[in-house]
Amino acid sequence: MSEQARVSHPKEPLLSTDVEGFDSLSELALDMRSSWNHATDQVWRQLDPVLWELTHNPWVVLQTVSREKLQRVLADPAFRKNIDDLVQVRRHAAEAPAWFQQTYPQSPLSCVAYFSMEFMLSEALPIYSGGLGNVAGDQLKAASDLGVPVIGLGLLYQQGYFRQVIDQDGAQQALFPYNDPGQLPITPLRRPDGEWLRLEIALPGYSVWLRVWQVQVGRVKLYLLDSNDAANYPAHRSITSELYGGGPELRLKQEMLLGIGGWRLLAALGVKPEVCHLNEGHAAFAVLERARSFMEETGRTFEVALAVTRAGNLFTTHTAVAAGFDRFAPALIEQYGAGYARTQLGIPLHDLLALGRQNPNDSSEPFNMAYLAVRGSGAVNGVSRLHGEVSRHIFLPLFPHWPQDEIPVGHVTNGVHMPTWDSAAADDLWTQACGKDRWLGTAETLEQDIRRISDASLWRFRAAARKSLVKYARERLSRQLAVSGASPEMVDGAKHLFDSNTLTLGFARRFATYKRPNLLLHDPDRLLRLLNNPQRPVQLVMAGKAHPADRAGQALIQEWMHFICRPEARPHVVFLSDYDMLLTEQLVHGVDVWLNTPRRPWEACGTSGMKVLVNGGINLSELDGWWAEAYTPEVGWSLGDGKERGDDLAWDAAEAEALYDLLEREVIPEFYTRDEQGIPGAWVTRMRESMARLTPRFSTNRAVREYIEQYYFPAASAYRERAADKGAIGLQVVNWQHALEQKWAALRFGEVTFETHSEQHVFEAQVHLDDLDPKAVRVELYADGVMGGAPVRQEMKRVRQLAGASGGYVYCAAVSAARRPADYTARVIPHYGGVAIPLEDPRILWQR
Ligand SMILES: *Cc1c(COP(=O)(O)O)cnc(C)c1O
């Protein structure tokens, strides 16, 4: 990375900046590493215990503490030594060669640019809404642990995602607190001469200035763009006001600033990533700007530049329904993009629109950001095995006549950053069993190591975690009730709710109808009987927000609030308002069972259930998203039959009954069946299996390694190859595609015949290529896979020219006679070394 990128200075002079030792504290406070490495917690707690408990924001603590107090603690040699040691450890962790450097000293990869609309790193930096931000934040952290050279790019919103208050009637109120940049752990990114780095981005009529902020995430940097610059026209200052707020026009402007501004920032820093990773389609304009910047460097056309640069782009889709993609009216793209297309990319508006359309010539079709991302990438992946399959179906329209199995979408199942989500006690337990550096390498031995922990230790650990959660839930609920004006009796009553020895279920997520957060309320009386069983009681902690515009989701919250008002429910169910990262941590540390009830297949992956694994919680979930591949009977419980049922209400009812049955017949008895030492043997066995088998597998450590090996390395090599010699190969690829364009319509099959010899069918196919170079295509025999197996694709060899037909050839191949000859169909597809088919060219000609 260039010199420029490393510069940064603490922000506005603070009262205490001249205090000896302040710089060290500020270095520690500004590193988001404190959100997963808790070594510095004690420092902030000592400076201001109350503020620390409430915010977990070291930077706020440091800014608030008095000069006098600071001087006093820093004068203590022991405190001072501790700070110096912590700074040394931090620098070592940030600079010493890590797993990546040691494993891949000759790596073709020097930098990955990771674009995301949201990042969930810490509650101290509230620029996220949910799952997507979670994936982005946890991946940056794992990249830091492993030493993967990643730079994050995102937006700084003037408002965090909304905060939730629930009123006396159970209705959700949305509040939008101001994100005061001075209180966030970010610093202005400055040029070497001290000037704040700002970028100018042209919008129609007037350009926008973007300020750049820097976030330190261990050894990784995240840059945030912000339009709230004093030089801006007032309407432009608020472009980055709010995450997922406003209408399509605001969203389009945000996405242009993220994609175009983000790539320009890299150029301004002198950073040249080989790989550009788009976390969801929001940032897909980066594809255009990357090509534009290649045009500027080499003088190539946009078409060639895109053919070169897309080899280095990876698109990760997170959506499980086509309606979830961002789509913009053509008029909006014309208003904001026509000038950019014409003057910057040198292409007509039509060509730009075509990149975001299924049918380039349908002028009414909206512009789809996911389509732009697919067309601009050298690889595409979904976020679980099932979601890969679902995405192959969703993107079928972009690859007409291709079998669904061959739609070019792979998958990398998400994981979570275990050091962020483990409790202090879990950290101790895992450290004893597996060592301190367990997430800094390949995590291969964790499974065996964790199996060695005794039943008694595991059960003690679990009981203590549940007890802490009960304490936390009581305090938080009584605070919540006091604020909402509840009676003193109610507030006091909250302090005695729950029981530390009772089976504790947790459910927390976005309240969207497809997640069916009210499934348990299907038969309220049956739920009450379950909760109130005197021998085997159950308690339930709930949390979750509904989008402020989602009335149906808000009604589901209200349904729960009304249920909780019933006197038989009150002692056993709490709804904690304002679901955020801090609340998630408490819940995932403490619950015995994590419930998840989405309608399959609408949960692309889901990550909250992975957060309980390291803490010994067990999942009970619909077979959807990650659980569809994680579940086996030894590690948890499943709901549903693994089939898609849409929003069939009768099926919902059947699943609700199945959920009650499962709880009554399996979960609850297993928890309460104890041996002579009071240990539930079967439960602890299940818990251990879940911890041992699933924790390493569903960690971001594994996910990031998969991205490196399956996607980043191939993308980096492919990009380097195409970019060499000013994009010479890119030009050849474009020329090849032009030839296909002109000649494809004339391609046709003649006769296809076969003979069967003992074990083999030998096929011969006549193919008329006209004057297309035979090397530009590949002829194959294809047969659908049987019983979910892979399809057969057998290349046919060109054996001779057809007599008397110029451009006519005979192709031949032998295939196993285990399948009927009629199962096989010949086809012609484009072929060019190193080009991804059908992703980069979806043409295909079938024999019939
Ligand atoms: C983990 C998390 C999510 C994502 O959870 P899902 O399983 O995708 O529902 C959302 N919000 C918060 C606050 C989280 O901690």
Side-chain angles (χ1 to χ4, degrees), residues 519-767:
L519 197 68
L520 266 180
L521 286 180
H522 174 71
D523 181 347
D525 293 322
R526 188 162 175 194
L527 176 60
L528 284 175
R529 285 198 299 279
L530 210 141
L531 297 169
N532 281 294
N533 180 330
Q535 275 79 47
R536 296 174 161 183
V538 176
Q539 56 201 15
L540 177 59
V541 199
M542 310 272 309
K545 296 174 178 174
H547 190 278
D550 179 5
R551 298 258 154 231
Q554 288 167 44
L556 298 175
I557 293 178
Q558 201 158 24
E559 206 183 315
W560 271 107
M561 298 312 293
H562 290 163
F563 176 76
I564 293 172
C565 286
R566 294 174 63 165
E568 320 93 284
R570 195 185 293 283
H572 310 288
V573 189
V574 301
F575 192 104
L576 300 179
S577 63
D578 202 28
Y579 179 42
D580 69 1
M581 245 186 119
L582 293 177
L583 178 52
T584 305
E585 281 174 25
Q586 299 295 332
L587 295 177
V588 300
H589 293 171
V591 297
D592 297 301
V593 175
W594 190 252
L595 296 173
N596 190 21
T597 53
R599 287 197 179 112
R600 180 176 159 126
W602 291 337
E603 177 112 302
C605 178
T607 50
S608 57
M610 300 174 185
K611 299 171 192 165
V612 307
L613 300 171
V614 69
N615 296 298
I618 303 178
N619 281 274
L620 187 177
S621 168
E622 180 72 30
L623 287 172
D624 193 12
W626 75 285
W627 195 240
E629 70 200 79
Y631 169 74
T632 57
E634 301 81 27
V635 296
W637 294 279
S638 72
L639 200 59
D641 58 359
K643 295 203 177 81
E644 283 84 52
R645 309 292 182 139
D647 50 9
D648 176 0
L649 296 181
W651 181 253
D652 287 350
E655 286 207 337
E657 297 295 336
L659 176 56
Y660 297 127
D661 287 348
L662 187 58
L663 288 167
E664 284 167 358
R665 290 178 199 159
E666 294 189 38
V667 181
I668 299 170
E670 188 164 304
F671 183 87
Y672 286 108
T673 305
R674 308 293 168 90
D675 66 12
E676 58 281 9
Q677 288 153 51
I679 297 173
W683 187 280
V684 171
T685 301
R686 193 184 299 273
M687 172 179 157
R688 183 187 288 109
E689 285 310 297
S690 159
M691 292 173 85
R693 292 192 203 184
L694 303 185
T695 311
R697 231 177 108 195
F698 295 97
S699 66
T700 28
N701 173 298
R702 186 272 310 151
V704 165
R705 285 186 289 114
E706 259 178 49
Y707 273 114
I708 296 171
E709 282 152 19
Q710 290 180 26
Y711 290 106
Y712 294 167
F713 282 158
S717 304
Y719 166 73
R720 279 172 182 271
E721 197 171 299
R722 284 196 203 176
D725 204 4
K726 296 195 170 169
I729 293 187
L731 177 62
Q732 289 166 20
V733 169
V734 166
N735 289 339
W736 160 74
Q737 283 187 296
H738 286 173
L740 292 176
E741 183 72 48
Q742 282 168 14
K743 295 167 186 171
W744 194 264
L747 260 53
R748 62 186 174 84
F749 275 95
E751 280 208 351
V752 180
T753 56
F754 70 91
E755 279 176 26
T756 304
H757 307 288
S758 63
E759 318 256 283
Q760 292 193 313
H761 306 305
V762 177
F763 278 81
E764 281 203 350
Q766 299 179 354
V767 184

Side-chain angles (χ1 to χ4, degrees), residues 199-515:
L199 300 166
E200 192 181 359
I201 307 288
L203 283 188
Y206 210 86
S207 47
V208 188
W209 285 98
L210 291 176
R211 312 189 288 190
V212 188
W213 302 89
Q214 170 178 304
V215 186
Q216 194 69 46
V217 188
R219 62 171 79 214
V220 167
K221 284 196 165 57
L222 164 64
Y223 296 117
L224 299 174
L225 304 171
D226 158 24
S227 69
N228 190 16
D229 188 287
N232 278 335
Y233 181 68
H236 291 164
R237 288 188 72 160
S238 59
I239 295 178
T240 55
S241 58
E242 205 186 311
L243 172 60
Y244 305 142
E249 189 165 353
L250 182 67
R251 179 73 71 90
L252 176 62
K253 286 193 268 191
Q254 289 183 342
E255 296 187 356
M256 287 180 74
L257 296 190
L258 175 61
I260 299 174
W263 197 266
R264 268 191 210 165
L265 170 61
L266 296 169
L269 294 170
V271 179
K272 295 198 168 150
E274 295 86 18
V275 176
C276 169
H277 187 167
L278 305 173
N279 188 44
E280 192 49 291
H282 305 124
F285 290 122
V287 158
L288 303 178
E289 182 59 18
R290 183 177 190 181
R292 191 204 63 76
S293 126
F294 192 81
M295 292 166 68
E296 190 177 82
E297 266 169 49
T298 59
R300 298 290 190 188
T301 62
F302 173 71
E303 199 181 14
V304 172
L306 186 63
V308 170
T309 52
R310 74 172 170 243
N313 296 334
L314 168 64
F315 169 40
T316 299
T317 172
H318 291 256
T319 315
V321 280
F325 295 136
D326 271 347
R327 279 172 297 183
F328 296 111
L332 259 187
I333 299 293
E334 178 171 4
Q335 184 186 343
Y336 286 96
Y340 179 73
R342 205 177 48 248
T343 63
Q344 306 290 304
L345 307 180
I347 58 173
L349 175 69
H350 171 273
D351 292 10
L352 170 59
L353 284 165
L355 288 168
R357 280 178 171 155
Q358 180 190 332
N359 174 359
N361 297 316
D362 176 356
S363 62
S364 67
E365 191 182 327
F367 184 87
N368 185 320
M369 292 298 283
Y371 288 0
L372 171 64
V374 169
R375 297 236 172 77
S377 294
V380 181
N381 75 285
V383 289
S384 68
R385 190 171 66 203
L386 178 60
H387 180 244
E389 231 173 277
V390 169
S391 302
R392 287 192 280 282
H393 180 70
I394 295 180
F395 288 112
L396 210 47
L398 293 188
F399 304 92
H401 311 301
W402 279 86
Q404 184 168 318
D405 277 345
E406 293 182 276
I407 302 306
V409 185
H411 78 272
V412 173
T413 304
N414 287 333
V416 295
H417 185 249
M418 296 301 170
T420 291
W421 301 106
D422 61 3
S423 64
D427 184 17
D428 288 345
L429 186 87
W430 282 79
T431 302
Q432 276 171 29
C434 319
K436 242 179 130 39
D437 295 341
R438 61 191 175 278
W439 298 112
L440 304 182
T442 55
E444 267 161 7
T445 54
L446 302 195
E447 179 167 347
Q448 301 98 283
D449 292 344
I450 206 76
R451 283 228 165 82
R452 283 199 263 287
I453 304 180
S454 71
D455 281 13
S457 309
L458 279 178
W459 189 239
R460 265 199 307 276
F461 160 68
R462 185 89 292 279
R466 186 182 325 104
K467 192 168 167 196
S468 305
L469 174 60
V470 167
K471 179 165 175 284
Y472 177 83
R474 287 172 175 166
E475 281 165 12
R476 180 148 174 156
L477 183 68
S478 62
R479 207 156 22 101
Q480 180 179 319
L481 289 170
V483 170
S484 75
S487 68
E489 297 78 59
M490 292 263 291
V491 174
D492 200 51
K495 293 181 185 150
H496 308 287
L497 289 177
F498 274 22
D499 179 274
S500 295
N501 296 313
T502 293
L503 171 62
T504 306
L505 315 181
F507 181 98
R509 45 185 41 76
R510 213 150 42 76
F511 270 58
T513 43
Y514 83 85
K515 299 220 182 204

Side-chain angles (χ1 to χ4, degrees), residues 11 14 26 29-30 57-64 182-185:
K11 44 188 67 190
L14 290 159
S26 110
L30 287 169
N57 184 336
W59 188 242
V60 164
V61 170
L62 190 58
Q63 302 231 62
T64 309
Q183 303 269 304
L184 303 175

